[in-house]
Amino acid sequence: MSKNKGIVLALVLIMFMSAIETSIVSLATPTMQRDFNIDTEVALIFTVYLVAVVFMTPIVGELVKRINIKLVVLFGISVFIIGSVFCGLSEMTNSFPLLVISRIVQGLGAGVMMTLGQVIPKLAFPIPQRYKVMGIVGSVWGISSIVGPLLGGAILESLNWSFLFYINVPIALISMWLVIKYFNFEQETVEKTKLDYKGLLIFYGVVASFLLIVAEHIPFIVRMICFIILIALVFSLYKVETSIKNPFVPIEAFNRKIILVLFTDLIYSTMLMGYTIFMPIYLQNEQGFSPLQSGLTIFPMSVGWLFITFILGRLDKLKLKFIYMLAFLAMFVGSFAMLTGVEWIVIIPFAVFVMGISFGTVYTKDVVVVQEEAPSQQLGSMMSIYTLFKTIGSTTGSLIVASIYVLDLSFLNYGIQNIMLYMMLVAVTLTIAWSIIFKETKSI
């Protein structure tokens, strides 16, 4: 196997383990509810995982500046394996607290893997080849939601849900061997710069304040206090980071394009989380589908995702804004089809296929835009921040979309229709935002 193929395969496996954790585990949520005799608490297994990713992600950019990237990747995979094994053991011991704690450990490892999965292509491949590599790596999110529901459904049909976590172990061991053999990069540099502890602590304060504002069961007065603290911390962070040479958050790297892309990714992540968690619940609880049947029903979304990532490079002649507008239109069309035709099960494959095209377009273009716009010396930090925005979107999305799902809207019959209405409104809002804010015509 050539070095390039080895790197790509390692990236695919690393990203697959991170991406599949939501889609494969979401199928088991009804079973976990019954086994642990819990109700909405089951959302904790997604929330704590994503919060752990949020906690770990900012550190990764600093680690790769100071430690050989191969060692950082191996550390992330090792932590992820440990968390996966103990998640599986929680089924044997019938301990929901053990599952929650183990998901935190898993999330810490995933935070390392997800971030470095965006950094390594920049180090290993020039831009023409990197676009293809990013298409392959980006499509892993689509592939995982094909394989996740199918593999998860098959496992739940014949085994218990603990094997949803054990399946990560052989994949992780293979990826570790590939990392050891192939992850040697000429562009990699190890710096001896002083860590910006003050900026790091303030940044964590910003993230924590934001998560408390959007968290469930938080009194209104506490939310208001957190909002005030958030504003103060943002101003403090800006003041601190613009006054030092090697800031934790490279403020000067944030141009209009990167800011717009980051917020687009954050909002899209809320929608993906809503789809991933609640579509299986709808199909199994409302339609009476088995886990395997629900996996087969929703896999066309991943086909759409995979399809668009392989042809996206050919659309480079189109203006960047136009490509995003097409993605938002696809999201609107898919959500509208689901909203109006949810009673007819034949509508779902078409709708989720179109939505998959939208997700695949946005996620692939977002990461390439950040890679190309970020200064080379700040690549690790910027990709950490990019991953953080995506993860915050997923973390808050699990809470926001859960609230939307249970809303009693008299003109809608099912909770999944509430989510589709939310997706339509988001697509329209993003279309307006890009029309007003994005001015540059150069394509990336």
Side-chain angles (χ1 to χ4, degrees):
M1 183 186 297
S2 68
K3 180 179 179 180
N4 284 353
K5 289 181 179 178
I7 293 172
V8 172
L9 180 56
L11 287 172
V12 166
L13 293 177
I14 288 169
M15 296 303 287
F16 179 78
M17 286 187 291
S18 304
I20 203 174
E21 272 310 294
T22 300
S23 62
I24 195 171
V25 174
S26 64
L27 284 175
T29 49
T31 307
M32 290 176 177
Q33 285 176 320
R34 293 191 295 269
D35 287 354
F36 290 121
N37 192 27
I38 56 177
D39 190 17
T40 56
E41 299 94 326
V42 74
L44 271 175
I45 65 175
F46 300 100
T47 303
V48 298
Y49 174 83
L50 295 170
V51 168
V53 174
V54 168
F55 174 83
M56 194 65 194
T57 298
I59 297 295
V60 179
E62 296 298 320
L63 289 177
V64 297
K65 291 179 182 178
R66 295 165 172 80
I67 304 173
N68 184 280
I69 200 167
K70 178 189 293 189
L71 298 178
V72 180
V73 176
L74 291 174
F75 167 74
I77 298 173
S78 300
V79 172
F80 187 81
I81 291 178
I82 293 170
S84 297
V85 169
F86 279 94
C87 282
L89 292 175
S90 69
E91 191 273 338
M92 182 185 300
T93 59
N94 194 33
S95 173
F96 184 65
L98 177 60
L99 177 60
V100 172
I101 294 171
S102 301
R103 287 287 282 177
I104 294 173
V105 176
Q106 249 194 330
L108 295 175
V112 177
M113 297 192 300
M114 290 168 64
T115 303
L116 294 183
Q118 312 295 341
V119 174
I120 290 166
K122 174 79 172 182
L123 298 175
F125 302 100
I127 186 62
Q129 193 176 3
R130 193 191 330 146
Y131 221 132
K132 295 179 181 178
V133 172
M134 288 309 304
I136 295 171
V137 174
S139 68
V140 170
W141 293 91
I143 293 171
S144 70
S145 53
I146 293 176
V147 177
L150 296 179
L151 180 61
I155 289 174
L156 292 173
E157 291 283 327
S158 55
L159 301 167
N160 59 53
W161 55 261
S162 63
F163 285 87
L164 299 177
F165 299 102
Y166 292 144
I167 196 68
N168 289 317
V169 177
I171 299 174
L173 293 175
I174 295 171
S175 64
M176 290 178 78
W177 176 78
L178 291 168
V179 168
I180 292 171
K181 186 172 183 179
Y182 295 111
F183 276 33
N184 300 295
F185 308 115
E186 294 180 2
Q187 296 185 44
E188 183 182 1
T189 57
V190 178
E191 302 177 2
K192 297 296 183 180
T193 56
K194 183 180 178 181
L195 178 61
D196 176 20
Y197 291 102
K198 191 173 183 179
L200 175 64
L201 291 174
I202 296 174
F203 184 78
Y204 272 124
V206 170
V207 174
S209 300
F210 177 79
L211 292 177
L212 284 172
I213 290 170
V214 299
E216 290 184 298
H217 312 303
I218 299 295
F220 178 77
I221 185 64
V222 175
R223 291 183 198 273
M224 290 297 98
I225 293 172
C226 288
F227 181 75
I228 295 170
I229 293 174
L230 175 64
I231 299 300
L233 287 175
V234 168
F235 278 105
S236 178
L237 183 66
Y238 179 83
K239 183 178 180 180
V240 169
E241 300 300 78
T242 53
S243 63
I244 61 176
K245 184 178 179 181
N246 296 297
F248 174 73
V249 179
I251 302 294
E252 72 281 356
F254 287 86
N255 58 32
R256 177 183 293 191
K257 187 183 294 184
I258 285 182
I259 292 172
L260 189 55
V261 160
L262 289 176
F263 279 99
T264 300
D265 217 78
L266 185 150
I267 296 170
Y268 253 65
S269 296
T270 69
M271 295 192 292
L272 183 61
M273 180 57 65
Y275 165 86
T276 304
I277 294 178
F278 291 101
M279 184 63 75
I281 289 176
Y282 162 71
L283 291 174
Q284 292 179 47
N285 293 346
E286 299 290 341
Q287 296 291 337
F289 281 31
S290 70
L292 181 57
Q293 287 173 324
S294 65
L296 289 169
T297 303
I298 64 180
F299 91 85
M301 175 183 173
S302 304
V303 176
W305 192 319
L306 187 60
F307 166 77
I308 195 64
T309 54
F310 279 106
I311 69 167
L312 202 53
R314 302 178 183 177
L315 303 179
D316 255 3
K317 294 182 180 179
L318 299 176
K319 292 181 179 180
L320 186 63
K321 179 190 288 189
F322 185 67
I323 293 175
Y324 274 94
M325 292 297 182
L326 290 177
F328 302 150
L329 177 62
M331 179 60 68
F332 184 90
V333 170
S335 302
F336 181 76
M338 181 75 75
L339 177 69
T340 56
V342 72
E343 293 87 353
W344 299 282
I345 203 65
V346 294
I347 294 293
I348 295 179
F350 163 77
V352 296
F353 175 81
V354 175
M355 287 190 287
I357 290 176
S358 180
F359 281 118
T361 300
V362 169
Y363 280 136
T364 303
K365 293 300 292 186
D366 283 354
V367 68
V368 174
V369 167
V370 177
Q371 281 181 345
E372 291 307 301
E373 290 289 315
S376 58
Q377 69 274 18
Q378 301 291 356
L379 178 63
S381 297
M382 291 305 296
M383 295 317 300
S384 292
I385 292 170
Y386 165 81
T387 306
L388 179 65
F389 268 73
K390 183 191 291 287
T391 309
I392 288 176
S394 299
T395 307
T396 57
S398 62
L399 303 173
I400 294 169
V401 180
S403 301
I404 295 172
Y405 186 82
V406 298
L407 283 177
D408 184 12
L409 302 177
S410 59
F411 56 93
L412 298 178
N413 297 322
Y414 300 102
I416 198 67
Q417 288 182 311
N418 294 353
I419 295 176
M420 294 304 112
L421 181 60
Y422 166 69
M423 290 184 172
M424 289 170 60
L425 294 174
V426 167
V428 172
T429 302
L430 286 174
T431 300
I432 295 171
W434 274 76
S435 298
I436 296 172
I437 298 173
F438 190 83
K439 302 298 181 183
E440 190 173 344
T441 58
K442 182 181 177 182
S443 190
I444 290 184

